[in-house]
Amino acid sequence: MLTENKFSKYLLYAIGEIFLVVIGILIALQINNWNEVKKQENEAQTFIVRLSEEVSQNIEVTNQEILREQEQVEKTKSLLEMFSLSQDKISSREIDSLMFAIMSSNSIDLKKGTLEEGLNTGQVSLLSNSELKKKLYGLPAFFEEIKRLETLESEDINDNMVPYMYDHMNFKNMDNAFSEFSKNLKPSKFKSIENRELLNSLKFENLIDNRFYNTNKSLENYNELLAELKSINELLSKTKID
């Protein structure tokens, strides 16, 4: 009986030790899980901050591009209005100035590294705001559409307008008057072209009208992008991670 009593006490002690070990392991696992959750929350918060900074940068460059596009809209409009004016009221130099400005195509350099990281790692899916998630999932397609339209605009300039202007304008004299590198240039030795005659050309009017349409369309797209980016940034400021 004494032996059995000692064995019972030993068994209870062993069970108690096992119980304490199990409790210790469970506590350790809980602490580890808590630390891991805390780490993920910190990483998620860092992601939100980084994404907000990236969106803010895109808002800034979009604003700059809108200003450039607005200027080109005004210059193409001014050139179109010249078609209805008497040539003696038009300055040849002014035509050169307007053409120098509107022949360049615009392109916006959007930052998307943090967004792509969030989409690829699943961090975007952890955001609690469903509206924000929808906007972020759709943003790459928005960026692609902007880039596609920029490419079309650039192709129109390079494939249609520039070849025509090679035969109807003196590029060197234009650069000499308005380029940032003008100090390194001398006037062209070739006889200056009377560019006011372009205002009697239907093809030239079509080219400028097409440029006017494209710049207005680009301006419309950039304004839509700006509104979307501002909406996303506002939602980010109110968002947490699930």
Side-chain angles (χ1 to χ4, degrees):
M1 290 180 64
L2 287 173
T3 302
E4 288 178 358
N5 190 37
K6 289 180 178 179
F7 178 76
S8 297
K9 289 181 178 180
Y10 175 77
L11 184 60
L12 288 173
Y13 175 79
I15 291 173
E17 286 291 313
I18 293 172
F19 179 76
L20 289 175
V21 169
V22 171
I23 291 297
I25 292 173
L26 290 175
I27 291 173
L29 287 173
Q30 186 62 32
I31 292 173
N32 185 63
N33 288 339
W34 183 85
N35 287 335
E36 188 62 28
V37 169
K38 195 66 178 175
K39 178 183 176 182
Q40 290 177 353
E41 288 178 350
N42 290 335
E43 290 177 350
Q45 190 57 44
T46 300
F47 168 71
I48 289 176
V49 171
R50 288 172 54 218
L51 184 57
S52 182
E53 290 174 352
E54 183 173 273
V55 172
S56 294
Q57 290 175 353
N58 285 336
I59 288 174
E60 183 178 349
V61 297
T62 302
N63 271 320
Q64 293 172 354
E65 196 58 47
I66 285 174
L67 292 176
R68 283 194 291 269
E69 209 69 38
Q70 286 174 334
E71 181 182 12
Q72 289 199 333
V73 166
E74 290 304 313
K75 289 183 182 300
T76 52
K77 181 182 177 182
S78 295
L79 191 51
L80 281 174
E81 289 173 348
M82 288 182 176
F83 283 87
S84 60
L85 299 177
S86 173
Q87 288 190 12
D88 59 5
K89 296 181 179 179
I90 298 170
S91 163
S92 177
R93 182 180 175 85
E94 185 178 4
I95 294 176
D96 278 349
S97 173
L98 292 173
M99 287 303 301
F100 183 82
I102 69 176
M103 282 177 63
S104 61
S105 58
N106 297 326
S107 178
I108 190 168
D109 183 21
L110 294 167
K111 311 297 181 185
K112 45 191 176 181
T114 303
L115 174 64
E116 290 178 345
E117 175 191 320
L119 293 171
N120 292 333
T121 61
Q123 287 177 301
V124 169
S125 66
L126 299 177
L127 296 173
S128 60
N129 191 309
S130 58
E131 182 184 0
L132 174 60
K133 285 192 285 190
K134 181 180 178 180
K135 286 179 176 292
L136 291 176
Y137 284 130
L139 203 52
F142 206 147
F143 287 172
E144 285 299 314
E145 180 64 9
I146 291 289
K147 189 56 63 178
R148 184 184 73 83
L149 293 173
E150 286 177 345
T151 300
L152 289 176
E153 185 176 4
S154 177
E155 288 175 349
D156 178 60
I157 292 172
N158 293 323
D159 296 345
N160 298 312
M161 178 173 283
V162 171
Y164 180 81
M165 302 318 297
Y166 275 136
D167 292 329
H168 296 87
M169 293 197 80
N170 190 314
F171 278 48
K172 188 175 183 183
N173 283 343
M174 191 191 307
D175 286 339
N176 184 267
F178 305 106
S179 170
E180 59 186 302
F181 308 111
S182 59
K183 63 182 181 181
N184 300 320
L185 291 174
K186 294 180 180 180
S188 172
K189 73 174 184 177
F190 297 100
K191 182 181 178 181
S192 180
I193 297 174
E194 178 48 79
N195 57 17
R196 286 179 295 185
E197 289 297 325
L198 288 168
L199 300 177
N200 296 320
S201 166
L202 175 61
K203 182 171 183 177
F204 183 63
E205 184 181 58
N206 287 337
L207 288 169
I208 301 304
D209 184 71
N210 199 42
R211 190 79 185 95
F212 179 70
Y213 175 86
N214 287 338
T215 51
N216 273 284
K217 190 63 180 176
S218 292
L219 181 58
E220 184 180 279
N221 292 329
Y222 290 143
N223 278 319
E224 288 179 6
L225 174 62
L226 180 62
E228 187 72 359
L229 291 172
K230 285 183 175 180
S231 175
I232 288 172
N233 222 20
E234 185 176 348
L235 290 171
L236 277 170
S237 68
K238 304 174 183 177
T239 300
K240 62 181 181 179
I241 293 290
D242 284 335

